[in-house]
Amino acid sequence: MLPIAVLISGSGSNLQSIIDRIEQNVLHAEIKVVISNKAEAYGLTRAKKHNLPTEVIEHQNFSSREEFDQAMVEVIKAAGAEAVILAGFMRILTPVFIQAFPNKILNIHPAILPSFPGVHGQAQAADYGVRFSGCTVHFVDEKMDHGPIIIQAVVPAYTNDDGQSLGQRILKWEHRIYPQAIEWLAQGRLKIVGRKVEVENSPAVFVQVDENEPALVNPGLERGF
Ligand code: GAR
């Protein structure tokens, strides 16, 4: 079991997908703590429903980003977590945090990186008029939405989409690829080679050709995800 900390700022639907896969025994991780920088985040309610330890660490109570990050590092280490899962956590992390968990921090972003980094990736893509968008799980490095890419899922974008409608289509796939990426990390199957990530015994591309929900996922999803 990989001991993980999950960091959230909002609804926590990605947190829920991780909890569900753990409870189904498909994802071999244990959530040691859920941390939110916002007291009102609904994800905290989700965590409590599953009897998971939670902590609220509000960034505005700290005089610098580094002090806020150091407080989170201490809570995560005290909880015994070895990897950190950013699940809709909307704060930029400093080297203080990133160097505390080298190559053990994952993030999910609602766009096909390197396109549309930053906030509102779904709306940026919809407004730009792209024909495809999707989501990306990557290792976190010191630049925002930048580290080596583990897995991406691609979905179509339509001319009548806005950030909301495209975001809903993307979110369904976030809930599938994020637990899969964490499982690969837990299994020790991810190797970072420069900017690239090798997935040991990388599964073939997963293709869904349902006319309502077409999607491409690379590397492919394994059983249960
Ligand atoms: C997700 O769409 C996630 O990809 C995005 O925030 C949402 C959180 O939803 N993250 C970012 O935009 C990070 N740059 P959730 O709280 O329901 O998981």
Side-chain angles (χ1 to χ4, degrees):
M1 292 285 175
L2 177 69
I4 60 174
V6 183
L7 273 52
I8 61 168
S9 299
S11 150
S13 71
N14 276 290
L15 166 66
Q16 187 70 55
S17 74
I18 295 163
I19 293 171
D20 292 346
R21 291 296 170 272
I22 290 173
E23 291 186 350
Q24 291 160 5
N25 228 2
V26 172
L27 170 54
H28 300 92
E30 185 186 354
I31 300 176
K32 293 290 195 181
V33 64
V34 174
I35 300 177
S36 175
N37 65 318
K38 295 201 171 164
E40 71 281 9
Y42 181 65
L44 291 167
T45 306
R46 296 181 192 267
K48 285 175 191 152
K49 276 188 193 159
H50 294 265
N51 298 316
L52 296 172
T54 59
E55 291 275 353
V56 175
I57 307 177
E58 292 179 297
H59 56 272
Q60 64 269 25
N61 294 341
F62 296 85
S63 52
S64 69
R65 285 186 187 274
E66 286 78 9
E67 282 176 38
F68 169 62
D69 283 2
Q70 188 56 40
M72 290 197 296
V73 168
E74 280 162 23
V75 166
I76 292 166
K77 295 222 155 152
E82 290 171 12
V84 180
I85 307 303
L86 308 181
F89 181 72
M90 304 306 272
R91 299 290 299 173
I92 292 167
L93 294 165
T94 66
V96 166
F97 191 94
I98 289 157
Q99 289 167 11
F101 307 100
N103 296 335
K104 287 281 193 290
I105 309 172
L106 302 192
N107 182 44
I108 188 154
H109 183 74
I112 296 296
L113 292 173
S115 291
F116 311 117
V119 292
H120 309 307
Q122 310 95 324
Q124 290 185 56
D127 293 349
Y128 194 93
V130 294
R131 293 298 185 173
F132 291 98
S133 192
C135 42
T136 304
V137 179
H138 63 95
F139 282 103
V140 173
D141 67 9
E142 293 181 11
K143 293 187 200 159
M144 190 186 59
D145 297 330
H146 173 269
I149 291 170
I150 300 167
I151 185 170
Q152 293 183 309
V154 171
V155 300
Y158 303 110
T159 41
N160 60 355
D161 268 325
D162 57 14
Q164 179 89 22
S165 60
L166 178 58
Q168 287 295 327
R169 198 172 306 122
I170 292 170
L171 192 61
K172 283 185 189 166
W173 290 93
E174 294 189 36
H175 297 161
R176 296 185 66 176
I177 69 171
Y178 211 2
Q180 171 71 86
I182 299 165
E183 177 64 6
W184 287 332
L185 183 72
Q187 293 175 342
R189 287 170 61 193
L190 300 179
K191 188 172 158 204
I192 301 175
V193 185
R195 258 216 62 82
K196 299 188 184 178
V197 178
E198 286 174 4
V199 181
E200 198 177 271
N201 296 318
S202 176
V205 174
F206 176 94
V207 185
Q208 180 160 313
V209 203
D210 175 330
E211 69 178 40
N212 297 312
E213 298 286 340
L216 270 180
V217 183
N218 189 22
L221 300 168
E222 298 180 334
R223 189 194 297 266
F225 292 98

